Structure formats: structure tokens, C-alpha cells
């Protein structure tokens, strides 16, 4: 567990001061072609920095710790636990623009379960970092598997990327779907199909 947590941790960087961050925003405003001292923009550096504190709060949280409080009194429950349609807001690490979508998370309990809000919080912690969707999907699944040690974990994320809808190829309405299947969800096609049917994702549509 310690090895996993260390490998899964984000790099420790020396953060600039708030004043330096606000100065960087002022520079970007000037680079965009506007005057950071005009009335409408005077408070923008402060607002952007406060927004970044919220957008990227995941760097200051430990997703492993969220899952460490579990419950063993489950009366033999061994069926699938599924949390569907978890709202997901992240930012593309290549262009720093929003990734908006939803995540579906499932696991097959071994000897213990975790509060369902903790599953949503794990998604949120990883999402509130600079991301690519593939890595985000794997991080959520790998963390749940490592901490809870269930018989299997499945994570599917469906999201729109503004790096391709508002810039570049300008293709609105496109949704990217990624999945990570571990344990029984990878090894047993029936278990995997049950999960995909329950969440009704494009991965599961059109299959018998």
C-alpha cells in the first residue's frame, strides 16, 4: 500500500506566491491584447487565482486516505456496488481547458465496503488536477483496487473536451469514453456486461 501511495502521489513542486500568480494572470491579459488595469479587469487576477484554488484542489488531497475507513459488517453481501452518473469536472493538461462529463464506478466487495460518497470523492480528487481522461480513469480504478482490495473494479468515464470543441478541430457534441476493468470485470465477460448494461454506456450498447 505504501509503495502504491508513493507511486500514485503527485510531484511535489514549490508553489509561487499568490502575488506571483496574480502577476502571471496580468501578463496573460496583456498577451491577449487587453489592459489589466481597466475597470472590468482590475479584479480578474484575484478571481482567476481563487478559481484555480477550486479547480485544482485535488493536489492538496489524498485519495488513498478517503478510502481507508471501511465497514466489514456486510452480512455476506457480495454483489456489485455501482455508483452511476458522478458529475465530473476536470481540466485538460495540454490546453488547461475544461473536461466535463460523468463517471461510473463499480466494485465487487471482498470482505468490506466503503461509504459511497467516498467513491465520488476519489473521482473528484483526481479530476481536480490537470489531467488526460485515460490517466484519470486508470487512477480512480487503481486506487479503489489497491485500497479496498475487492474482487474487481470497473470505471467508465464519458466526457466532452473543450480543447476540441472550442478550439482546434471545433467538433461540438463529441464525447470521449474510456474504461478501466480490473479483476472480475476484466476476466468475466458476464460481470463486465452486467455492469455496462446497468450504466447504459456506449460501450455496452448493441451487445447481446
Amino acid at each position: 500500500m505504501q509503495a502504491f501511495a508513493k507511486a500514485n502521489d503527485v510531484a511535489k513542486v514549490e508553489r509561487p506566491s499568490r502575488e506571483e500568480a496574480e502577476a502571471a494572470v496580468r501578463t496573460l491579459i496583456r498577451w491577449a491584447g487587453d489592459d489589466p488595469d481597466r475597470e472590468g479587469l482590475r479584479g480578474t487576477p484575484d478571481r482567476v487565482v481563487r478559481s484555480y484554488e477550486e479547480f485544482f484542489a485535488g493536489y492538496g488531497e489524498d485519495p488513498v486516505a478517503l478510502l481507508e475507513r471501511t465497514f466489514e459488517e456486510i452480512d455476506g453481501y457480495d454483489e456489485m456496488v455501482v455508483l452511476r452518473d458522478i458529475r465530473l469536472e476536470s481540466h485538460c493538461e495540454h490546453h488547461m481547458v475544461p473536461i466535463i462529463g460523468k463517471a461510473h464506478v463499480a466494485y465487487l466487495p471482498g470482505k468490506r465496503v466503503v461509504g459511497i460518497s467516498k467513491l465520488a470523492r476519489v473521482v473528484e480528487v483526481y479530476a481536480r488536477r490537470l489531467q488526460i481522461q485515460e490517466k484519470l480513469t486508470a487512477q480512480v480504478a487503481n486506487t479503489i483496487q489497491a485500497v479496498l482490495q475487492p474482487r474487481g473494479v470497473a470505471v467508465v468515464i464519458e466526457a466532452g473536451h473543450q480543447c476540441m470543441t472550442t478550439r482546434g478541430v471545433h467538433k461540438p457534441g463529441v464525447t470521449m469514453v474510456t474504461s478501466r476493468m480490473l479483476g472480475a470485470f476484466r476476466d468475466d465477460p458476464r460481470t463486465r456486461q452486467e455492469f455496462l448494461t446497468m450504466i447504459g454506456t456506449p460501450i455496452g450498447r448493441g451487445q447481446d
Side-chain angles (χ1 to χ4, degrees):
M1 177 64 68
Q2 290 181 346
F4 167 79
K6 183 176 180 180
N8 209 37
D9 198 10
V10 294
K12 301 302 181 184
V13 299
E14 183 178 349
R15 293 194 178 194
S17 67
R18 174 176 287 273
E19 290 74 17
E20 290 173 312
E22 291 183 10
V25 176
R26 288 175 59 85
T27 297
L28 288 174
I29 292 172
R30 289 198 302 271
W31 187 86
D34 214 323
D35 177 9
D37 290 318
R38 71 175 176 83
E39 183 180 7
L41 290 173
R42 285 175 193 160
T44 296
D46 172 67
R47 288 190 290 268
V48 170
V49 171
R50 283 190 284 113
S51 294
Y52 267 43
E53 288 176 336
E54 183 176 346
F55 293 156
F56 304 117
Y59 287 111
E61 298 185 70
D62 181 2
V64 172
L66 289 171
L67 297 174
E68 288 182 336
R69 183 182 179 187
T70 58
F71 307 94
E72 296 185 1
E73 294 182 2
I74 57 176
D75 285 343
Y77 183 86
D78 61 359
E79 297 296 327
M80 200 179 298
V81 177
V82 183
L83 202 59
R84 303 188 307 181
D85 299 328
I86 304 167
R87 170 78 174 181
L88 182 147
E89 300 171 0
S90 190
H91 284 77
C92 165
E93 67 181 35
H94 298 145
H95 303 97
M96 297 181 72
V97 295
I99 300 170
I100 306 295
K102 58 186 176 180
H104 314 284
V105 177
Y107 71 101
L108 283 165
K111 296 181 179 180
R112 52 187 178 155
V113 296
V114 69
I116 59 173
S117 66
K118 300 302 188 294
L119 298 176
R121 290 283 293 123
V122 169
V123 172
E124 184 178 63
V125 167
Y126 281 121
R128 291 189 179 275
R129 299 177 180 182
L130 292 169
Q131 282 287 9
I132 61 172
Q133 186 173 324
E134 297 91 335
K135 182 173 73 173
L136 171 60
T137 307
Q139 286 175 325
V140 173
N142 293 346
T143 301
I144 295 170
Q145 182 68 40
V147 180
L148 298 185
Q149 299 183 345
R151 290 176 291 126
V153 176
V155 176
V156 171
I157 293 178
E158 309 172 62
H161 293 241
Q162 291 193 19
C163 57
M164 72 172 291
T165 62
T166 62
R167 59 160 301 281
V169 296
H170 289 277
K171 297 297 181 183
V174 176
T175 299
M176 181 176 178
V177 182
T178 51
S179 66
R180 174 75 161 167
M181 306 287 174
L182 301 173
F185 292 95
R186 178 183 288 270
D187 300 333
D188 186 344
R190 293 172 300 177
T191 299
R192 181 168 60 252
Q193 186 58 50
E194 179 184 356
F195 166 66
L196 295 174
T197 300
M198 289 176 70
I199 65 175
T201 70
I203 295 177
R205 292 172 191 156
Q207 299 182 20
D208 295 330

